[in-house]
Amino acid sequence: MVVIAGRRVSPQNLGGEYEHITVTPYAGALGAIIGGVDIATEQEEATIAEIRRALIEHQVIFFRKQDFSPEQHLAFARRFGTLNQHDQVKGMEEYPDIIEVRQEPTDTRNFGGAWHGDVTYLPEPPLGSILYAKEVPPVGGDTLWSNLYLAYEDLSPGYRAMIDPLTVIHTPALIYGTKSMDWSKDSSMNSSPTEAAHYEVEHPLVRTHPESGRKLFYVSGAYTPRLKDQTEEESGPIIDYLMYQATREPFTCRWRWQKGDVAFWDNRACLHYALNDYHGHRRIMHRVTINGERPVR
């Protein structure tokens, strides 16, 4: 047992047996390091099944010292589902399913620099993303993840009962809409403000994970500005508190990148945050995102 936010909880199935990979828990709240996998080679079905199981149990899994091509990156990701092309950020010219998350030494804005889940505003948000470190700064540029299961389960029964039936609005408008900051002016990301970002999608505020069966609340920073049938001012106290709850330190882990590292996270069960603390240095990551399903209560 471990103590998180004053409560004794069981780590996520740490005693489970794996036959094809090694799984070493990384932090008390979430995360595990996977060994015995070379992403550049085709994996057996049994190995893929165990990687998926580790992902569901630990929410984010890490692979060290990997070296693979864009084609191999895509082939590995396709073992877990069909691939998603970001609707607001253009992928690489030769590989449109890969977003190059590039920050040059002169850039002042970084991609993913706030707590969020990836493109949760889609009708069927992603299962997860696989991020590959191509070039990293000498210090800084860490990424944090937070466990939305623990954040939900830590709420009082009364608060959970209050939020369980609510619906939340997801939209890309605040980040990619016509009144948003132009990514092309202060970053190296291939995205500009567009009218196409002005749409809304409704999702349950509290969803049931389709594979684990566990409940969590589904907020995503600026992508979730309000609750259904409420104004932003009326919704603010609930959404702000849930974002605070979701990102409390006891529910998080922090990864210090090395070249060749890979992170694969369950976008349905955690938020993440890329730190922007390496000005004057280059950071290049390749991200592939896997399609998911419509959230249900």
Side-chain angles (χ1 to χ4, degrees), residues 84-103:
N84 172 269
Q85 287 190 15
H86 201 295
D87 67 332
Q88 306 297 329
V89 180
K90 188 177 180 181
M92 298 173 66
E93 188 167 341
E94 292 186 37
Y95 306 100
D97 291 324
I98 300 177
I99 290 179
E100 184 171 74
V101 183
R102 172 183 289 269
Q103 183 153 339

Side-chain angles (χ1 to χ4, degrees), residues 116-266:
H116 68 288
D118 288 334
V119 293
T120 60
Y121 52 78
L122 295 179
E124 297 182 345
L127 176 155
S129 293
I130 302 174
L131 187 65
Y132 178 34
K134 301 282 288 181
E135 185 174 346
V136 298
V139 293
D142 298 355
T143 302
L144 293 83
W145 283 267
S146 67
N147 185 327
L148 293 175
Y149 295 134
L150 295 182
Y152 175 75
E153 293 163 1
D154 184 68
L155 295 171
S156 67
Y159 202 93
R160 291 199 302 268
M162 179 187 72
I163 66 172
D164 280 354
L166 298 179
T167 297
V168 64
I169 301 299
H170 293 244
T171 177
L174 297 179
I175 303 300
Y176 301 111
T178 54
K179 295 182 180 180
S180 67
M181 295 176 63
D182 189 342
W183 286 92
S184 65
K185 291 183 178 180
D186 53 6
S187 82
S188 297
M189 298 304 298
N190 194 351
S191 178
S192 298
T194 173
E195 187 68 35
H198 290 270
Y199 65 89
E200 297 182 343
V201 172
E202 298 178 5
H203 291 314
L205 179 58
V206 176
R207 67 176 294 185
T208 300
H209 193 285
E211 295 183 67
S212 72
R214 297 174 68 183
K215 285 190 172 185
L216 57 124
F217 56 79
Y218 200 53
V219 289
S220 188
Y223 291 150
T224 49
R226 63 183 177 86
L227 300 171
K228 182 181 179 181
D229 298 326
Q230 294 187 23
T231 65
E232 291 187 22
E233 291 78 11
E234 293 166 338
S235 306
I238 292 177
I239 292 177
D240 290 348
Y241 179 75
L242 291 178
M243 285 300 298
Y244 158 77
Q245 171 74 354
T247 58
R248 291 171 57 197
E249 288 87 347
F251 305 141
T252 67
C253 72
R254 177 169 175 164
W255 185 256
R256 177 165 292 176
W257 292 95
Q258 298 176 12
K259 183 179 178 180
D261 284 354
V262 173
F264 183 4
W265 64 91
D266 186 341

Side-chain angles (χ1 to χ4, degrees), residues 98-114:
I98 300 177
I99 290 179
E100 184 171 74
V101 183
R102 172 183 289 269
Q103 183 153 339
E104 294 293 343
T106 55
D107 290 349
T108 58
R109 186 184 185 191
N110 76 321
F111 189 64

